[in-house]
Amino acid sequence: MKTPSLALVLGFWVISNVLVIAWWWADISDRFLPGVLRYAGIAFFVCAALVPLYLLFKVRRSFFNPVVLGLLVCCCLAISITAHEANLLRERLQFSLDHEREFLHVDAVEGVMRPLIAKITEIYVQILGDDHTRGGSTFHTHIVVNYMFDSLSFLAVFALATLLLSPTASWLCLLTFAFYTQIAIYPGRMAPVFIAGGLFWQLYLLVSRRYLVAIISGLIISFGRTDVVFASAFVLLSLPAFERRWPTAIEWVTFGLLVGISVAVPKTLIWMHPGTDFRSFLITHGDYFTKLVGNLLAMKLAVAIASPVLAIAVVRTFALTRTMAVVIPAALVHVGIVFIIADFSETRLIIPALGALTFVASEALGSMLEPGDGRRDETTSA
């Protein structure tokens, strides 16, 4: 399977987000079309529902390209899961939205680590409105805000899979990640999926050697999650080790910049917000024993959910592969940060590690389903 270009991935992301926002924002019948004119709104949605079918018919030959089809499926999965989460939270959407926007105005850990997400949410609310504004809709706002992160998460997983896995294994990886995503949103929060998406997005950029873009992306992500940038940087050391060579100069420089960014950004934000309580994210203030035991007990459900995938990975994997060299070090570093520094009171925070396990298990299962030359050269054992 051919790897999608960065422009194609970002094109799908931007265009699909514009379409989702336009779809919900165009729901004007209840606002401005009273009485008989509401039928015009109904006609509009009928046409809007038929247009995608017409477009699919017109560009049907393009879907013989599995990469384009995969990116389209990513967007479909994202909107489906976003709508699912919105339905789960329908009674508490306004509270959830207000809670997210409060992070712009509080001196807490989240107020330091998530100002970018809160600012984006605030911009969306200013454009679309919420239940506190006339004609606003928290349900619509919630969908468009979360779809932005959901779609990028799925696109990142699929793009990285095409770099590492066979075609069959890439589809298995995407669909298994979607399954774990559904598990993560059961309590009604998608943050772990965003974290996993950010991790795999950074890995996609680094493995495809788009170092400048990875640095810019890492700088942006660091305003939301510094641990993602820190953990993903280690692929620049693990991949050369797998290839039995020393990292090149540009790999060393990129590694140093990403690690430096992940340390400097929160330090800068703390300096800008001197009243922030940041102790729970500092190793020197960690309660290692109690927190570690609690975290280990909290992951029992995650182990139970992952056991089928884990069994496939153990049974079918007999040697170190390129896929393992890419995803496992980053996942181990990230889960180590979660266990030692952060609170792991919610099982769904293991989703980034489950995503890495999904890559390994999909590769193993794909090699079984595609014997012989179906396996990519990149995934052969060292």
Side-chain angles (χ1 to χ4, degrees), residues 188-246:
R189 293 181 59 192
M190 286 292 292
V193 180
F194 304 160
I195 297 172
L199 180 69
F200 295 130
W201 170 252
Q202 283 293 107
L203 291 178
Y204 164 68
L205 295 176
L206 293 172
V207 174
S208 60
R209 299 182 180 180
R210 296 178 171 93
Y211 299 129
L212 179 59
V213 180
I215 293 171
I216 297 173
S217 174
L219 180 61
I220 296 173
I221 294 176
S222 287
F223 282 88
R225 296 294 308 196
T226 60
D227 51 350
V228 167
V229 181
F230 182 83
S232 61
F234 283 86
V235 72
L236 295 169
L237 303 182
S238 62
L239 194 54
F242 169 78
E243 297 172 350
R244 297 182 180 180
R245 62 176 178 84
W246 286 100

Side-chain angles (χ1 to χ4, degrees), residues 69-330:
L69 180 60
L71 296 177
L72 179 64
V73 170
C74 288
C75 296
C76 293
L77 288 172
I79 190 63
S80 173
I81 290 175
T82 299
H84 180 201
E85 183 203 13
N87 285 326
L88 287 175
L89 283 180
R90 189 179 288 272
E91 300 299 325
R92 302 182 72 240
L93 282 178
Q94 188 62 53
F95 171 81
S96 178
L97 196 62
D98 291 340
H99 182 63
E100 187 67 41
R101 295 165 68 188
E102 287 176 359
F103 292 140
L104 280 174
H105 312 292
V106 296
D107 280 333
V109 173
E110 292 83 358
V112 173
M113 301 301 292
R114 296 168 62 184
L116 179 64
I117 297 176
K119 184 62 178 177
I120 293 172
T121 303
E122 183 70 25
I123 293 173
Y124 267 115
V125 170
Q126 290 174 1
I127 295 174
L128 296 173
D130 61 0
D131 286 350
H132 296 321
T133 60
R134 182 179 179 182
S137 172
T138 301
F139 182 77
H140 298 169
T141 306
H142 184 90
I143 286 180
V144 296
V145 170
N146 282 272
Y147 178 79
M148 178 178 61
F149 296 101
D150 294 349
S151 55
L152 188 58
S153 297
F154 279 100
L155 290 169
V157 168
F158 184 74
L160 180 62
T162 60
L163 281 173
L164 301 174
L165 306 176
S166 66
T168 300
S170 296
W171 282 100
L172 290 172
C173 182
L174 176 62
L175 297 177
T176 307
F177 181 75
F179 169 73
Y180 285 142
T181 299
Q182 292 283 1
I183 294 173
I185 68 172
Y186 177 74
R189 293 181 59 192
M190 286 292 292
V193 180
F194 304 160
I195 297 172
L199 180 69
F200 295 130
W201 170 252
Q202 283 293 107
L203 291 178
Y204 164 68
L205 295 176
L206 293 172
V207 174
S208 60
R209 299 182 180 180
R210 296 178 171 93
Y211 299 129
L212 179 59
V213 180
I215 293 171
I216 297 173
S217 174
L219 180 61
I220 296 173
I221 294 176
S222 287
F223 282 88
R225 296 294 308 196
T226 60
D227 51 350
V228 167
V229 181
F230 182 83
S232 61
F234 283 86
V235 72
L236 295 169
L237 303 182
S238 62
L239 194 54
F242 169 78
E243 297 172 350
R244 297 182 180 180
R245 62 176 178 84
W246 286 100
T248 63
I250 190 172
E251 289 173 334
W252 277 116
V253 170
T254 305
F255 173 78
L257 285 174
L258 290 177
V259 171
I261 287 172
S262 65
V263 174
V265 168
K267 291 291 186 182
T268 303
L269 292 173
I270 293 172
W271 174 74
M272 295 172 62
H273 299 265
T276 301
D277 182 6
F278 201 69
R279 288 176 298 175
S280 63
F281 273 73
L282 296 178
I283 297 178
T284 54
H285 292 82
D287 181 2
Y288 304 117
F289 179 77
T290 304
K291 185 174 293 185
L292 184 60
V293 171
N295 288 342
L296 288 173
L297 293 175
M299 69 175 294
K300 290 186 293 185
L301 179 59
V303 173
I305 294 171
S307 57
V309 178
L310 181 62
I312 295 172
V314 171
V315 172
R316 294 296 305 175
T317 302
F318 301 101
L320 181 66
T321 65
R322 181 182 175 86
T323 300
M324 296 170 64
V326 170
V327 299
I328 289 182

Side-chain angles (χ1 to χ4, degrees), residues 345-366:
S345 58
E346 298 173 351
T347 305
R348 59 183 180 272
L349 290 178
I350 202 73
I351 290 295
L354 290 180
L357 180 61
T358 296
F359 272 85
V360 177
S362 298
E363 180 185 43
L365 187 58

